[in-house]
Amino acid sequence: MKAKYILLTLLLMTAFSCEDIVDIEPQFAQDAESYFQTEQDYENALIGAYDMIGQSFLSLWLGEIASDNSIAGGESPNDTRSLHEIDEMVHTPESELELRRHLRFMYSGITRTNFIFEFKDNLNFERKDELLAEASFLRAYYYFQLVKVFGDVPLVVDRRLSIDEATSLARTPKEEVYAQIETDLIAAAEGLQWTSPVKGRVTKGAALGLLGRAYIYQDKFDEAAIVLDELISDGPYSLITVSTSGEYVELFSVAQEGNSESVFEIQHTGQEGSDFVAPQAAESNWAIGFHSPKNYEGPVYDDGNSYNLPTEELYNSFAAGDIRRDGAILNLIAWETSNPTVSYDVGTGGFTGYYNHKYMRRANELGAGDERLTSPRNHRVLRLPEVLLMAAEAHNRKAAPNDAQAQMYLNMVRSRLGLADVNASGTALTDAIWQERRWETAGEGLRFFDLVRTGQAEAAIDGFVVGKHEVFPIPRSEIDLSGGAWRQNDNY
């Protein structure tokens, strides 16, 4: 009992004396309104804005699986069912897993860039203009990923949303969204240098290249020709001559990151483990593990989940002698035949015998933690060969076509591969450029969006419905969260 009384006395003494010995007012409080006080605060916020760009691998999946380039694959038809529905062109507003992730990840990036712009006048420092130019590029990139997938999307610039706005803001016409993308990329190009001392930072070339792509997607060919010509003539980029399929696919390896053809890459690392719990926190390239053969054993490669499998039609479309066929696509059956130690499992989600060679796991490029989710391989967003093909199309399709310039750019891409020149003109040249673009960018997530913008989607994609499938549905859950303020895309 005596011990209990002593303990009670001590507790009472503590209760009455804590006001004297503990300052209950916080020594430091920080909120959104008071955050930007130093240059380092702006730099940290910019790093946060960059962070979400790694999640745009979902756009790569959509661009291949929704097209005639790939099937969904996977371990079973119910494994990531939404991808199979997109592959079969039967997706609905309830097919939302990947679409919802894409929408939320991109808007998270937009919110982070808007946070910087909202408080851009708090402080002046030497690198401020360049920092804002980087943020402009990032916001344009995130909006571009949204508008090409969903069409009209809510446009918010330079500010955060209030709670009331978050449940009432309507979708903005895509023309206005593209106008903001153009404004941001023009500002970025003006404020950035051709090179950056920091690996992974965006550059003037990245801004001009993405601006050219945005113009191409809107059929603004005169404007595209101007910015892409500047990028090609003034930029520090050069083509790499390759003579074998092995040399071609090596351009996408970790060892070749940042090579002379690279205009913009999303940086990834294998040093930080990743998992399914928080994919938004991943610093690795998730697509790599998903693209590799299930339970693969053998030389060179490593196992994965067998998603995004190239079609036989794509493989057979390549012209004879084009080393890009085996560079872009691994014929696993032929590889197994030439390597008797190879074994793998075939997923019931579909099997073509082909794999995305540009983004497959390699035994010498494994990461930490769950190795399937922790690849260090960078995502090549803009490469000089694609820039040249965009420029070729722009010159061929602008108001006063310049087919000679278009041929020159097209043949620069082909000559580095040892392929014969194309001498066509007019619509025949247009078709040749489009075909070359498919071969050069196979597996890179551009095909579906190219088919849509060029009017070829209905003929190329089984089940494609004109007036519906040019864009994807807004996830039902997001419409519900908006309080019905977001209208659904037509015919969904």
Side-chain angles (χ1 to χ4, degrees):
M1 289 292 295
K2 183 177 180 182
K4 289 182 179 179
Y5 280 119
I6 293 173
L7 178 59
L8 177 61
T9 301
L10 288 172
L11 289 172
L12 289 171
M13 289 175 60
T14 302
F16 286 113
S17 63
C18 65
E19 188 172 327
D20 295 330
I21 62 175
V22 178
D23 185 356
I24 62 174
E25 293 295 322
Q27 293 287 339
F28 177 76
Q30 186 177 70
D31 57 24
E33 308 302 322
S34 63
Y35 177 72
F36 291 101
Q37 301 298 319
T38 68
E39 178 178 352
Q40 191 59 49
D41 292 337
Y42 284 90
E43 295 288 357
N44 291 342
L46 181 64
I47 291 171
Y50 267 102
D51 192 51
M52 298 313 299
I53 204 168
Q55 304 307 318
S56 61
F57 76 86
L58 291 170
S59 177
L60 185 153
W61 277 8
L62 294 176
E64 295 298 309
I65 291 171
S67 78
D68 55 347
N69 270 6
S70 295
I71 67 169
E75 297 182 12
S76 78
N78 294 317
D79 189 16
T80 316
R81 181 60 194 161
S82 59
L83 290 179
H84 287 271
E85 291 170 350
I86 289 168
D87 180 15
E88 298 160 11
M89 287 288 127
V90 295
H91 46 289
T92 71
E94 281 71 35
S95 308
E96 65 170 37
L97 176 61
E98 310 307 324
L99 296 175
R100 191 181 191 192
R101 280 182 176 177
H102 182 68
L103 187 148
R104 290 190 166 194
F105 289 157
M106 296 305 99
Y107 266 116
S108 179
I110 290 165
T111 298
R112 296 181 188 196
T113 56
N114 279 340
F115 183 45
I116 296 171
F117 284 108
E118 183 175 356
F119 295 96
K120 65 182 176 66
D121 295 326
N122 272 25
L123 189 72
N124 289 318
F125 50 91
E126 184 177 355
R127 211 183 82 81
K128 181 178 178 179
D129 289 344
E130 184 178 32
L131 182 146
L132 293 177
E134 290 181 59
S136 293
F137 174 92
L138 293 173
R139 182 166 63 188
Y141 181 87
Y142 293 131
Y143 268 123
F144 193 20
Q145 299 305 311
L146 288 170
V147 74
K148 73 180 185 179
V149 171
F150 298 109
D152 301 349
V153 291
L155 178 65
V156 183
V157 179
D158 293 355
R159 63 185 179 86
R160 291 162 294 163
L161 287 177
S162 67
I163 294 176
D164 290 340
E165 285 181 303
T167 58
S168 63
L169 191 68
R171 297 169 66 190
T172 305
K174 64 180 180 180
E175 293 79 11
E176 295 179 34
V177 180
Y178 268 116
Q180 181 61 46
I181 292 170
E182 293 171 13
T183 297
D184 275 340
L185 291 174
I186 290 169
E190 291 175 349
L192 294 170
Q193 303 299 313
W194 287 110
T195 60
S196 171
V198 181
K199 183 180 180 181
R201 297 276 187 169
V202 297
T203 61
K204 184 182 186 72
L208 290 174
L210 192 61
L211 179 58
R213 189 184 284 174
Y215 283 142
I216 289 285
Y217 275 44
Q218 301 173 81
D219 288 354
K220 293 184 175 180
F221 301 113
D222 286 83
E223 296 89 337
I226 293 171
V227 299
L228 294 170
D229 280 350
E230 180 184 356
L231 171 57
I232 294 165
S233 63
D234 297 347
Y237 314 105
S238 60
L239 293 171
I240 298 173
T241 299
V242 292
S243 56
T244 68
S245 60
E247 290 176 354
Y248 181 80
V249 74
E250 189 65 22
L251 297 176
F252 295 85
S253 67
V254 171
Q256 284 276 6
E257 289 174 356
N259 63 44
S260 64
E261 289 190 349
S262 176
V263 179
F264 179 60
E265 299 178 8
I266 295 175
Q267 303 294 310
H268 290 289
T269 177
Q271 297 179 4
E272 181 178 353
S274 184
D275 57 42
F276 287 103
V277 177
Q280 68 275 12
E283 302 299 335
S284 58
N285 190 339
W286 269 39
I288 305 299
F290 281 94
H291 287 173
S292 302
K294 180 176 173 60
N295 293 330
Y296 173 90
E297 293 186 8
V300 181
Y301 309 106
D302 212 294
D303 74 318
N305 300 93
S306 297
Y307 280 93
N308 193 12
L309 306 177
T311 63
E312 184 177 22
E313 186 276 327
L314 170 62
Y315 186 80
N316 291 334
S317 74
F318 284 86
D322 192 336
I323 62 175
R324 290 174 299 191
R325 186 195 69 177
D326 295 324
I329 304 169
L330 175 68
N331 184 334
L332 188 58
I333 296 173
W335 175 253
E336 181 185 22
T337 300
S338 61
N339 293 273
T341 61
V342 168
S343 65
Y344 55 89
D345 290 341
V346 175
T348 60
F351 180 70
T352 65
Y354 305 105
Y355 287 80
N356 187 334
H357 212 174
K358 293 177 180 178
Y359 290 113
M360 280 181 61
R361 293 183 70 212
R362 299 187 185 186
N364 64 347
E365 292 180 351
L366 302 182
D370 185 335
E371 293 177 350
R372 290 188 182 185
L373 303 180
T374 316
S375 171
R377 185 93 60 86
N378 284 356
H379 176 185
R380 271 66 166 181
V381 176
L382 281 163
R383 299 186 299 116
L384 182 58
E386 192 231 337
V387 169
L388 289 165
L389 293 175
M390 286 194 294
E393 183 177 348
H395 281 285
N396 169 248
R397 299 184 70 191
K398 65 184 183 178
N402 184 345
D403 281 353
Q405 188 76 6
Q407 286 177 9
M408 184 187 75
Y409 285 146
L410 169 61
N411 290 326
M412 286 173 66
V413 174
R414 292 178 60 80
S415 65
R416 89 193 205 284
L417 305 165
L419 298 173
D421 285 352
V422 171
N423 298 311
S425 60
T427 57
L429 179 57
T430 307
D431 291 339
I433 294 168
W434 289 346
Q435 182 62 75
E436 197 73 30
R437 185 171 170 83
R438 185 189 190 189
W439 292 331
E440 180 60 45
T441 66
E444 297 179 45
L446 302 178
R447 176 64 173 173
F448 174 79
F449 306 105
D450 281 344
L451 290 173
V452 168
R453 70 177 181 81
T454 58
Q456 302 177 89
E458 182 183 17
I461 302 172
D462 290 340
F464 186 93
V465 176
V466 174
K468 177 180 181 178
H469 288 136
E470 290 84 356
V471 290
F472 295 87
I474 302 295
R476 178 82 66 196
S477 57
E478 296 302 317
I479 291 181
D480 292 343
L481 287 171
S482 75
W486 292 10
R487 65 168 180 81
Q488 184 55 269
N489 281 327
D490 292 343
N491 297 314
Y492 279 109

